[in-house]
């Protein structure tokens, strides 16, 4: 709101120092979505704004503030949760942008985050037909999104963490064990808040044993 990216650096720095002081290393911020849909019920003021270049600038500064002060920053919600009118805590929102629009809008802050050395990226429970043809497969469970786009195309080498697995964007379509296995197969390194941890753990063990 103050219009100064150095404030975002300071915010990231203070967040990291305060978190580390109480034993927390992993910061699930900054929100790297572009707030480009006025009907969005869940991102809105969590975003740095409507201009992708401006958002990218603030995202990079916040990340540097965190990571230069002992924290692990997280750009979220990949590949961009801004243009939805639905809340992924409740159901699976659809991002109807084509690949060109994604490239010039949604992905701009994430490219900036990667260039700034962000340690982790959080997935979004989003249906994105331009990237994943199956309408019931959220980005969190999509190899096309997490491996082909994030790893191979954007060359991200850090940690991929899912958004909370107890959210409706996943639970309305997949059982806890199946969702856990699908997320790891898609390219996730860490599963956040599986609704039934034992089921996720056992399903992953069984999946490893079966190849």
């Amino acid at each position: 709101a103050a219009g100064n990216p150095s404030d975002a650096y300071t915010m990231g720095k203070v967040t990291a120092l305060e978190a580390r002081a109480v034993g927390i290393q992993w910061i699930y911020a900054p929100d790297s979505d572009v707030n480009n849909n006025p009907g969005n019920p869940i991102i809105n003021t969590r975003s740095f704004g409507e201009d992708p270049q401006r958002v990218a600038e603030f995202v990079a500064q916040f990340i540097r503030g965190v990571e230069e002060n002992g924290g692990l920053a997280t750009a979220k919600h990949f590949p961009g949760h801004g243009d939805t009118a639905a809340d992924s805590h409740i159901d699976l929102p659809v991002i109807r942008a084509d690949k060109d629009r994604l490239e010039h809008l949604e992905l701009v802050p994430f490219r900036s985050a990667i260039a700034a050395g962000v340690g982790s990226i959080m997935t979004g429970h989003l249906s994105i037909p331009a990237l994943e043809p199956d309408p019931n497969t959220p980005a969190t469970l999509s190899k096309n999104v997490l491996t082909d786009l994030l790893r191979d195309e954007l060359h991200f080498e850090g940690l991929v963490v899912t958004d909370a697995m107890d959210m409706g964007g996943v639970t309305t379509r997949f059982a806890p064990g199946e969702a856990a296995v699908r997320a790891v197969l898609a390219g996730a390194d860490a599963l956040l808040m599986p609704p039934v941890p034992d089921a996720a753990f056992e399903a992953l063990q069984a999946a490893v044993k079966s190849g």
Side-chain angles (χ1 to χ4, degrees), residues 112-125:
S112 177
I114 293 167
V118 72
S120 67
I121 287 179
M122 182 181 287
T123 68
H125 303 325

Side-chain angles (χ1 to χ4, degrees), residues 27-75:
I27 313 295
Y28 285 151
D31 190 303
S32 305
D33 303 310
V34 180
N35 187 36
N36 57 330
N37 185 333
N40 196 315
I42 190 61
I43 301 303
N44 47 67
T45 56
R46 298 166 70 192
S47 166
F48 282 115
E50 295 75 40
D51 180 330
Q53 301 297 338
R54 193 82 169 134
V55 173
E57 191 177 7
F58 279 77
V59 161
Q61 289 300 321
F62 186 97
I63 287 165
R64 291 192 180 102
V66 170
E67 304 234 337
E68 290 175 11
N69 290 280
L72 183 69
T74 308

Side-chain angles (χ1 to χ4, degrees), residues 5-111:
S6 68
D7 289 341
Y9 180 93
T10 302
M11 188 176 170
K13 176 180 178 179
V14 171
T15 300
L17 294 174
E18 293 286 330
R20 289 303 304 267
V22 295
I24 296 168
Q25 294 84 23
W26 203 346
I27 313 295
Y28 285 151
D31 190 303
S32 305
D33 303 310
V34 180
N35 187 36
N36 57 330
N37 185 333
N40 196 315
I42 190 61
I43 301 303
N44 47 67
T45 56
R46 298 166 70 192
S47 166
F48 282 115
E50 295 75 40
D51 180 330
Q53 301 297 338
R54 193 82 169 134
V55 173
E57 191 177 7
F58 279 77
V59 161
Q61 289 300 321
F62 186 97
I63 287 165
R64 291 192 180 102
V66 170
E67 304 234 337
E68 290 175 11
N69 290 280
L72 183 69
T74 308
K76 64 185 184 181
H77 307 81
F78 188 80
H81 202 321
D83 191 13
T84 71
D87 180 351
S88 56
H89 291 86
I90 299 165
D91 202 356
L92 183 62
V94 181
I95 305 286
R96 301 199 182 277
D98 60 23
K99 186 74 193 292
D100 185 67
R101 211 290 296 274
L102 289 167
E103 188 62 46
H104 291 94
L105 202 151
E106 276 82 3
L107 294 179
V108 172
F110 290 99
R111 286 187 180 276

Side-chain angles (χ1 to χ4, degrees), residues 58-208:
F58 279 77
V59 161
Q61 289 300 321
F62 186 97
I63 287 165
R64 291 192 180 102
V66 170
E67 304 234 337
E68 290 175 11
N69 290 280
L72 183 69
T74 308
K76 64 185 184 181
H77 307 81
F78 188 80
H81 202 321
D83 191 13
T84 71
D87 180 351
S88 56
H89 291 86
I90 299 165
D91 202 356
L92 183 62
V94 181
I95 305 286
R96 301 199 182 277
D98 60 23
K99 186 74 193 292
D100 185 67
R101 211 290 296 274
L102 289 167
E103 188 62 46
H104 291 94
L105 202 151
E106 276 82 3
L107 294 179
V108 172
F110 290 99
R111 286 187 180 276
S112 177
I114 293 167
V118 72
S120 67
I121 287 179
M122 182 181 287
T123 68
H125 303 325
L126 307 161
S127 171
I128 308 165
L131 301 175
E132 172 53 63
D134 180 2
N136 287 312
T137 298
T140 296
L141 310 184
S142 171
K143 180 179 178 291
N144 293 342
V145 176
L146 301 192
T147 298
D148 298 353
L149 176 59
L150 183 56
R151 293 291 193 201
D152 297 344
E153 193 174 321
L154 300 186
H155 306 296
F156 177 62
E157 297 179 352
L159 288 166
V160 176
V161 59
T162 70
D163 203 347
M165 297 292 283
D166 63 354
M167 290 165 58
V170 171
T171 60
T172 55
R173 287 162 174 78
F174 299 96
E178 182 186 359
V181 173
R182 281 175 173 256
V184 171
L185 282 172
D189 299 301
L191 307 179
L192 175 62
M193 295 171 64
V196 187
D198 288 353
F201 181 67
E202 288 164 13
L204 284 165
Q205 274 195 317
V208 170

